[in-house]
Structure formats: structure tokens, C-alpha cells
Amino acid sequence: MLVFLGFVLGAVIGSFLNVVVYRLPKGESVVHPPSRCPVCGHRLGALDMVPILSWLVFRGRCRYCGAPVSARYPLVEALTGGLFALAAWLHPVPDAGLVLVWAFTALLIALSFIDIDHYVLPDGLTYGGLALGLLGAALWAFPVAWGEAWRGALAAAGLLALIGGFANLVLRRGASG
């Protein structure tokens, strides 16, 4: 039952992740205005936002204007649902650990799709991942691995800063030449 619940919850979270992936890089709010068709702008009804099923029922088209709806929407929903179900299967005790795994999974999915589209990882999401990782270390390994968690976080941040600095150097040099 937990695996099924994990899939349903994951699909719903995946539907919200589609909003995050679409709006966050544009600097738009992820809560307002409500979901709408990107072509005709019509506000989506409750039936339009049923994860995966609505895309199948309306054959991948907007029910209001008939514009095609990207297959990425049900893909993100199904991927999130599948990974949540897998996590529930591997961690059959519904505790804080499972919730943390689900949160981290959702975060990584959002970051992955934003990176695919825009080649950027928003600071708000990456810092959120850092906070989740440190929270997990604090809950399950404190005090033994707390120092290791901080050292790992700082090493990863330093490595990412080096990669980012090198990329900026290469990109600037390539743009001027």
C-alpha cells in the first residue's frame, strides 16, 4: 500500500515540479498565477491537472485550444511517481527518513530538468539540497558523522565553485575570440 501511495504522491509532486521547472528559471512565482495553458493562457481546471491521466485522456492536447502539450509533463510526473514508489519499496517504514528521501528526489528531478533546459542550477534549489543533506546527517548520524557531513558539504561546494570558475573563464575567453 505504501508503494502505491508513494507513486500517487510522487505523481502529484511531479505535477508541481513541472511548474517549478517551467517558471523558476524565468523568475516567475511557482504559486501564482494558477496553472494555465502556455499557448492560450486558459486557467487549467482540476481535471486538467490530474497527473499523467489528464495527458492521456486529452491525447496530449490542451482541452481548451487543442494545442499540443509536451510529453515531458507526464514523463516528469511518472518519473517522480516511479522514484517515490521505489523509495517506498526500499524503505517500507513511513518515517522521517522516507520523507527526506522523497524531498531530496523531488529536488534532484527539478534540478535535472532545469539544468537540461537552461544549463543553470538555481541557488535556492541547490542550497535546499545542502540543507536537506545536512538535516539527514543531523538526524541519523549525529554526532558521529556530523563533522564528515560538513566536510563533505564544504568540499562539494569548493569543487562546484572551481568548476563554475573554470567554466566562466572558458566561456568568457571563447566569447571574446
Side-chain angles (χ1 to χ4, degrees), residues 104-174:
F104 200 68
T105 299
L107 188 68
L108 290 176
I109 290 170
L111 283 168
S112 297
F113 282 94
I114 290 172
D115 190 30
I116 288 168
D117 289 344
H118 303 281
Y119 302 107
V120 67
L121 298 175
D123 286 344
L125 295 181
T126 55
Y127 292 151
L130 173 63
L132 282 174
L134 291 173
L135 176 66
L139 291 175
W140 287 279
F142 187 78
V144 177
W146 185 245
E148 275 185 44
W150 274 104
R151 282 191 296 280
L154 292 173
L159 180 62
L160 290 174
L162 284 172
I163 291 170
F166 181 71
N168 282 335
L169 178 67
V170 170
L171 292 174
R172 266 188 274 135
R173 189 169 288 175

Side-chain angles (χ1 to χ4, degrees), residues 17 35 74 83 86 97 153 176:
L17 292 179
S35 295
L83 290 175
L86 178 64
S176 64

Side-chain angles (χ1 to χ4, degrees), residues 9 22 25 34 46-47 67 72 81 113 125 128 167 174:
L9 178 65
Y22 182 79
L47 182 61
R72 176 189 266 184
F113 282 94
L125 295 181

Side-chain angles (χ1 to χ4, degrees), residues 1 5 16 46 66 69 71-72 75 83 89 91 99 101-102 122 138 154 156 165-166 170:
M1 187 66 173
L5 174 69
F16 177 71
V69 175
R72 176 189 266 184
L75 171 74
L83 290 175
W89 183 63
H91 190 95
V99 173
V101 168
W102 282 345
L154 292 173
F166 181 71
V170 170

Side-chain angles (χ1 to χ4, degrees), residues 37-39 55 58-63 66-74:
C37 172
V39 176
W55 192 84
F58 299 121
R59 297 183 187 149
R61 298 202 165 275
C62 172
R63 137 169 109 146
V69 175
S70 172
R72 176 189 266 184
Y73 292 105

